């Protein structure tokens, strides 16, 4: 039990009466998650609150969960929030390459709980890791036109890429300084060798140089299934060093990261790793940055 106040800046809910293509089909290892069969169930707000028990949860940010109908998911999350008071915000799914992406963006923007959009961009030459079928989507003219419209719609963008894409993302952030960007999962450092870590750190610094970018430390278990406080410490602490506490936040990525640890173990590690920071710096990490980034 802890008295720590937190905003969970990245979590999902699942209702299997709806369709989630990534949770359907043969039950086999999915990308780099490992055995995803425990995720193939509905995960309600009550399930989430049971996982977060022991923490003073003052808010949460629901991130799109790959539903077949993102518009339906947005309406569902808005209804849950209206009834229960959580989630505090929702980041909706829109493929910015879709011919009707502009209409989708307008529709999501009209729903009060929606604060941002996510269009997962992870590309990797290894098919085990990649989410997209090609590199360079961030430079596509159609994609960029829709990306540029986010600011006028009052929407931020949740950016999910691998370390090899961080420099390209920094160029995007520089070209569109009016668009608020939240870098998901601390840039997803999937490699642990010296070269991979150097590539990640270089890309993180390039993005941190852009004032319109903040980041969230989350999904570390996705990249380190047997993580310990010691194994994640370099990525947690270096991310905070690079972006600063006022531009860094913490997220659970539950229920996905429940495959690798309990919520208590995860946020307990975040708590312990930041114990030497000032009270104000910790408040920024656990509450303040998410409050500003998602306008809670």
């Amino acid at each position: 039990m802890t008295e720590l106040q937190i905003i969970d800046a990245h979590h999902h809910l699942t209702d299997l009466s709806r369709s989630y293509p990534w949770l359907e089909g043969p039950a086999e290892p999915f990308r780099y998650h490992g055995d995803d069969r425990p995720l193939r169930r509905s995960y309600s707000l009550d399930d989430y609150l049971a996982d977060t028990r022991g923490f003073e949860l003052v808010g949460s940010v629901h991130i799109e969960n790959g539903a077949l109908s993102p518009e339906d998911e947005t309406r569902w999350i808005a209804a849950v929030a209206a009834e229960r008071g959580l989630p505090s915000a929702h980041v909706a799914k829109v493929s910015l390459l879709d011919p009707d992406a502009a209409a989708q963006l307008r529709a999501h923007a009209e729903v009060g709980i929606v604060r941002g959009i996510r269009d997962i961009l992870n590309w990797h030459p290894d098919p085990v890791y990649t989410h997209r079928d090609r590199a360079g989507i961030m430079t596509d003219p159609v994609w960029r036109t829709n990306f540029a419209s986010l600011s006028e719609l009052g929407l931020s963008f949740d950016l999910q890429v691998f370390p090899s894409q961080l420099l390209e993302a920094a160029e995007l952030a520089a070209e569109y300084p009016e668009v608020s960007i939240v870098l998901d999962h601390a840039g997803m450092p999937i490699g642990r060798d010296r070269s991979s870590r150097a590539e990640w750190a270089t890309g993180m610094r390039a993005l941190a140089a852009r004032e319109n970018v903040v980041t969230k430390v989350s999904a570390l278990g996705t990249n380190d299934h047997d993580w310990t406080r010691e194994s994640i410490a370099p990525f947690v602490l270096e991310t905070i060093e690079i972006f600063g506490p006022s531009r860094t936040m913490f997220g659970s990525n539950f229920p996905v990261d429940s495959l690798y640890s309990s919520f208590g173990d995860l946020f307990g590690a975040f708590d312990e790793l930041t114990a030497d920071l000032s009270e104000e710096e910790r408040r920024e990490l656990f509450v303040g940055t998410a409050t500003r980034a998602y306008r809670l």
Side-chain angles (χ1 to χ4, degrees):
M1 179 70 70
T2 177
E3 296 180 356
L4 183 68
Q5 285 191 338
I6 66 170
I7 292 174
D8 182 356
H10 196 110
H11 76 93
H12 311 282
L13 300 177
T14 311
D15 174 7
L16 287 188
S17 70
R18 295 166 166 82
S19 176
Y20 299 83
W22 72 282
L23 292 174
E24 298 166 1
E28 57 188 17
F30 173 77
R31 295 196 179 101
Y32 39 83
H33 290 159
D35 185 355
D36 72 353
R37 285 174 293 182
L39 301 178
R40 293 174 177 240
R41 63 181 180 93
S42 291
Y43 184 77
S44 69
L45 183 63
D46 286 330
D47 294 322
Y48 173 70
L49 292 176
D51 280 335
T52 62
R53 188 174 295 122
F55 291 85
E56 187 176 348
L57 187 70
V58 297
S60 76
V61 181
H62 183 271
I63 308 297
E64 61 86 11
N65 197 22
L68 181 63
S69 172
E71 295 86 355
D72 176 63
E73 181 181 48
T74 289
R75 290 190 293 269
W76 170 52
I77 295 301
V80 172
E83 179 183 354
R84 304 289 298 278
L86 287 174
S88 312
H90 174 57
V91 174
K93 176 184 177 181
V94 175
S95 171
L96 298 183
L97 289 176
D98 282 356
D100 64 342
Q104 293 180 49
L105 291 172
R106 289 193 298 270
H108 286 295
E110 291 174 357
V111 182
I113 196 173
V114 174
R115 298 292 191 276
I117 297 299
R118 182 167 75 158
D119 183 12
I120 292 176
L121 297 169
N122 295 88
W123 181 85
H124 195 282
D126 185 340
V128 170
Y129 290 95
T130 198
H131 288 249
R132 305 302 290 257
D133 60 0
R134 64 181 175 93
I137 289 175
M138 280 180 277
T139 63
D140 186 285
V142 172
W143 193 93
R144 286 201 162 200
T145 295
N146 288 314
F147 179 83
S149 73
L150 293 175
S151 179
E152 65 189 53
L153 292 171
L155 299 170
S156 60
F157 184 75
D158 263 53
L159 172 72
Q160 185 173 317
V161 294
F162 287 130
S164 62
Q165 300 171 282
L166 290 172
L167 293 180
E168 183 182 1
E171 294 175 0
L172 176 75
E175 187 159 341
Y176 298 93
E178 71 283 359
V179 178
S180 297
I181 297 173
V182 179
L183 175 65
D184 285 355
H185 307 332
M188 299 195 75
I190 54 178
R192 293 296 183 270
D193 60 279
R194 179 177 297 181
S195 175
S196 295
R197 289 179 58 172
E199 178 184 50
W200 170 78
T202 298
M204 291 289 279
R205 292 190 182 95
L207 265 176
R210 313 319 312 177
E211 294 182 357
N212 54 324
V213 182
V214 300
T215 191
K216 67 179 81 167
V217 176
S218 51
L220 294 176
T222 298
N223 305 313
D224 181 0
H225 294 181
D226 299 314
W227 70 267
T228 64
R229 186 182 70 175
E230 290 71 27
S231 74
I232 66 171
F235 299 102
V236 174
L237 297 178
E238 192 162 355
T239 296
I240 295 171
E241 179 185 351
I242 291 170
F243 276 87
S246 65
R247 295 171 62 199
T248 306
M249 63 193 107
F250 290 126
S252 70
N253 196 37
F254 264 48
V256 176
D257 269 49
S258 69
L259 293 172
Y260 319 116
S261 73
S262 71
F263 190 98
D265 286 344
L266 178 61
F267 268 80
F270 293 155
D271 187 10
E272 293 172 3
L273 288 169
T274 60
D276 291 337
L277 299 181
S278 70
E279 182 178 343
E280 178 57 27
E281 288 172 326
R282 279 165 52 84
R283 197 198 74 80
E284 289 286 88
L285 289 164
F286 287 99
V287 174
T289 301
T291 298
R292 291 189 299 276
Y294 290 109
R295 305 174 297 287
L296 304 183

